[in-house]
Amino acid sequence: MPNPNKNKHFNDEALRINRMLKKENDALSEVIDECEDFLLNYFNVLNDEDDRVVGRLQDMIIKVRSRDNE
């Protein structure tokens, strides 16, 4: 017969780890959002020479943000 206390401990530990990982993930997402916003605002003040680089970076940010919304 399986030990119910062992299963409960395992489930409790898994939930604790999931909560911890969610907090870390949420904090990292906030930092990434701030960086993306900074870069997008910074791109608006660059000159025309940087248009190609700016376009590529904006495309990358848009791809990441669209993936987050799926």
Side-chain angles (χ1 to χ4, degrees), residues 35-57:
C35 291
E36 290 172 343
D37 291 339
F38 171 80
L39 287 173
L40 289 172
N41 289 329
Y42 177 74
F43 294 155
N44 292 330
V45 298
L46 294 176
N47 59 29
D48 291 336
E49 293 177 23
D50 300 316
D51 278 347
R52 190 176 59 125
V53 173
V54 169
R56 290 184 68 198
L57 289 170

Side-chain angles (χ1 to χ4, degrees), residues 3-47:
N3 182 349
N5 291 332
K6 185 176 182 181
N7 290 339
K8 181 175 180 353
H9 175 71
F10 178 80
N11 290 337
D12 290 345
E13 184 68 10
L15 288 172
R16 185 190 68 77
I17 292 169
N18 284 342
R19 283 191 296 269
M20 181 185 69
L21 290 173
K22 182 172 181 346
K23 285 180 185 177
E24 288 180 15
N25 190 37
D26 290 346
L28 288 172
S29 290
E30 287 180 26
V31 170
I32 289 171
D33 285 343
E34 286 181 34
C35 291
E36 290 172 343
D37 291 339
F38 171 80
L39 287 173
L40 289 172
N41 289 329
Y42 177 74
F43 294 155
N44 292 330
V45 298
L46 294 176
N47 59 29

Side-chain angles (χ1 to χ4, degrees), residues 54-67:
V54 169
R56 290 184 68 198
L57 289 170
Q58 285 175 323
D59 288 345
M60 285 190 281
I61 291 170
I62 290 167
K63 284 179 187 175
V64 168
R65 285 187 170 179
S66 67
R67 183 181 65 206

